[in-house]
Amino acid sequence: MSIELALKEAMTIPGALGVALVDYDSGMSLGTMGGGEWFNLEIAAAGNTEVVRAKLRVMSALALNDTIEDILITLARQYHLIRLLAPAKGSPTLFLYLVLDRERANLALARHHLKRIETDLTV
């Protein structure tokens, strides 16, 4: 599945407000969909690269021999879900960033959908 198709698929997840495919080395988005004037996905995606980098630094400092599947940030009205792509999917520094409306979203279902999208995504 292409990046554009993956982003379109992610936007069909119930409660989806925006999605981005991000390189956390550079902080740049490879593609975005959704968001708008009320929510700048480019800024949010770049900012969340710091979240990913910080967690990876902590894991390294603790000498954890493990990988991150996803990171959840829970806000009063939104869920922000960061799904790191497996290194086998091309670049080992990519993540899918999904913003969900908390009232309309099913978090377990959203995580399941992102995992499926990751499996089908070709970068």
Side-chain angles (χ1 to χ4, degrees):
M1 159 183 332
S2 69
I3 293 172
E4 183 179 356
L5 190 55
L7 297 175
K8 285 180 182 178
E9 181 73 21
M11 286 301 293
T12 68
I13 296 171
L17 300 172
V19 64
L21 179 64
V22 185
D23 180 335
Y24 64 80
D25 266 352
S26 67
M28 300 293 291
S29 295
L30 279 70
T32 63
M33 194 166 286
E37 288 184 25
W38 59 272
F39 190 81
N40 187 318
L41 270 170
E42 295 285 340
I43 292 172
N48 279 300
T49 62
E50 293 303 319
V51 173
V52 172
R53 290 176 191 159
K55 186 57 188 173
L56 289 170
R57 280 192 304 272
V58 170
M59 289 175 62
S60 178
L62 295 171
L64 296 178
N65 186 21
D66 211 342
T67 58
I68 300 171
E69 281 188 31
D70 53 38
I71 298 170
L72 172 64
I73 300 168
T74 305
L75 304 178
R77 294 185 301 256
Q78 298 174 349
Y79 292 125
H80 291 227
L81 189 55
I82 299 167
R83 171 96 189 166
L84 275 71
L85 273 59
K89 296 304 295 179
S91 173
T93 63
L94 298 179
F95 67 86
L96 282 165
Y97 170 56
L98 179 65
V99 180
L100 298 161
D101 178 329
R102 195 168 165 168
E103 287 185 13
R104 298 183 301 128
N106 177 319
L107 188 55
L109 182 62
R111 289 182 71 221
H112 176 73
H113 276 251
L114 279 186
K115 185 175 184 176
R116 186 178 49 76
I117 290 168
E118 174 195 1
T119 302
D120 294 341
L121 178 62
T122 304
V123 180

